[in-house]
Amino acid sequence: MALSIGVDIGGTKILAGLVTDEGQVQATARRPTPRHDANDVLDLVAEVVNELVAGSSEEIVGVGLGVAGLVDADRSRVYFAPNLRWSQVPVRALLEGATGLPVVVENDGNVAAWGEYRFGAGRGVRDLTLVTVGTGIGGGIVIDDALFRGAHGVAGEIGHINAVPDGRPCGCGRNGCLEQYASGNALVREARLLAGERRSEAGALLALGDGTPEGVQGVHVTEAAKAGDPVATEAFAIVGTWLGRGLADLAAILDPEVFVIGGGVSDAGDLLLASARQTLADKLIGQQNRPAPLVRVAELANSAGLVGAADLARHPRG
């Protein structure tokens, strides 16, 4: 049985895994991500790949790599990865030279979308859009059983569609991007604002932090909302409403069969998705006279990127 290796490069860790053609992870290896130096990061990627190869008795057919950045149309070069501070890095050439294996490089949202399409919440559909709701918002698009990457390879930056003209400043340099209103950071911002205005109702939420609105963190908002704290619950409803608006805009352009919602904030389930689904239904163009997209929670959780990257190493035209 031939295997492939998927690698997910995150801001804090490099996670690699041996993956079967059925999407099963057989073994993993990880390292902390070095800051800001592409050569150091790729040296560690080569190290974990070679470690997995040495520990396997099966044939390894290739390596798929997911990076939080813009990747060229040939899936070989990272144009720009802001969190890693990479610019114009020839990743495929460097890794193929260090490992002796064929390498496919792809955006992290795209590999996660491909993983969910092949083995997760998108199994059996031809068209899906993954929206990952974490610190920011990312995602990927599958149309007619293939990743939609655009002319230059950089499509699918869902978090940077414009939600509010001249709205909140975004790290991308623009204003009013969706991730400023519908992300984990936005959830914390809303919860802190509401807790400051309505301290008497936010007792459970404030108690989980240091007693001040500024001490509220994302995990506190989720825990408090699950316990019924009205302020935390309202913060989720506000963020879910913004997410639903974004889904309605995406549906007008892409008309997917399924929206798959992933990322850490999706762990809250209906606390987030109830208002997102309702807003999507309310804002969907022609909602009374057309089929509506389904909204599902991602199934592969933290392994989606690794599994999707490994599968793209087998199907590089995916």
Side-chain angles (χ1 to χ4, degrees):
M1 175 180 60
L3 303 173
S4 57
I5 294 175
V7 184
D8 187 1
I9 299 180
T12 60
K13 72 177 183 302
I14 297 164
L15 177 64
L18 282 173
V19 182
T20 71
D21 58 2
E22 295 180 346
Q24 300 298 312
V25 180
Q26 288 199 335
T28 60
R30 70 178 65 205
R31 299 286 189 280
T33 306
R35 288 290 180 179
H36 311 327
D37 189 284
N39 288 326
D40 287 348
V41 173
L42 294 176
D43 284 346
L44 278 182
V45 171
E47 183 177 303
V48 295
V49 166
N50 290 329
E51 176 182 320
L52 290 170
V53 171
S56 175
S57 60
E58 306 292 340
E59 177 190 3
I60 311 297
V61 298
V63 178
L65 184 71
V67 181
L70 305 180
V71 179
D72 70 359
D74 292 333
R75 289 179 167 151
S76 63
R77 176 180 293 270
V78 173
Y79 287 132
F80 180 55
N83 291 333
L84 294 169
R85 298 189 181 178
W86 289 8
S87 178
Q88 300 295 338
V89 180
V91 175
R92 184 167 70 190
L94 292 172
L95 280 183
E96 287 184 344
T99 65
L101 292 169
V103 173
V104 171
V105 187
E106 186 53 276
N107 170 267
D108 61 341
N110 285 349
V111 295
W114 188 254
E116 290 291 341
Y117 160 74
R118 289 276 289 147
F119 305 109
R123 289 189 307 275
V125 307
R126 293 177 59 85
D127 299 86
L128 73 80
T129 299
L130 172 73
V131 181
T132 56
V133 185
T135 302
I137 288 183
I141 301 161
V142 177
I143 298 176
D144 287 338
D145 297 319
L147 276 170
F148 176 72
R149 306 184 67 246
H152 306 101
V154 297
E157 291 293 328
I158 289 167
H160 299 289
I161 62 176
N162 189 249
V164 179
D166 300 319
R168 294 170 180 161
C170 182
C172 74
R174 304 199 310 160
N175 291 77
C177 292
L178 180 63
E179 73 172 37
Q180 296 304 314
Y181 299 88
S183 64
N185 281 345
L187 176 68
V188 172
R189 183 189 297 116
E190 293 292 349
R192 289 175 176 175
L193 178 63
L194 291 171
E197 294 173 346
R198 293 156 48 190
R199 285 177 179 264
S200 62
E201 298 177 65
L205 175 61
L206 291 171
L208 290 169
D210 61 5
T212 69
E214 294 75 23
V216 170
Q217 305 299 322
V219 292
H220 303 150
V221 186
T222 301
E223 185 175 345
K226 288 181 176 179
D229 182 280
V231 167
T233 301
E234 184 174 339
F236 268 108
I238 291 169
V239 169
T241 297
W242 279 111
L243 177 61
R245 288 174 175 267
L247 298 183
D249 288 343
L250 290 167
I253 300 167
L254 299 172
D255 185 30
E257 184 176 347
V258 175
F259 283 113
V260 177
I261 311 300
V265 182
S266 71
D267 293 342
D270 280 346
L271 288 169
L272 175 73
L273 295 186
S275 55
R277 289 187 175 108
Q278 185 60 57
T279 305
L280 170 60
D282 292 343
K283 300 297 183 182
L284 187 67
I285 294 173
Q287 70 268 41
Q288 300 299 323
N289 300 289
R290 58 164 287 178
L294 301 173
V295 179
R296 298 176 181 169
V297 177
E299 294 180 5
L300 299 184
N302 293 332
S303 65
L306 185 154
V307 169
D311 197 63
L312 283 174
R314 297 175 180 276
H315 307 282
R317 303 309 299 173

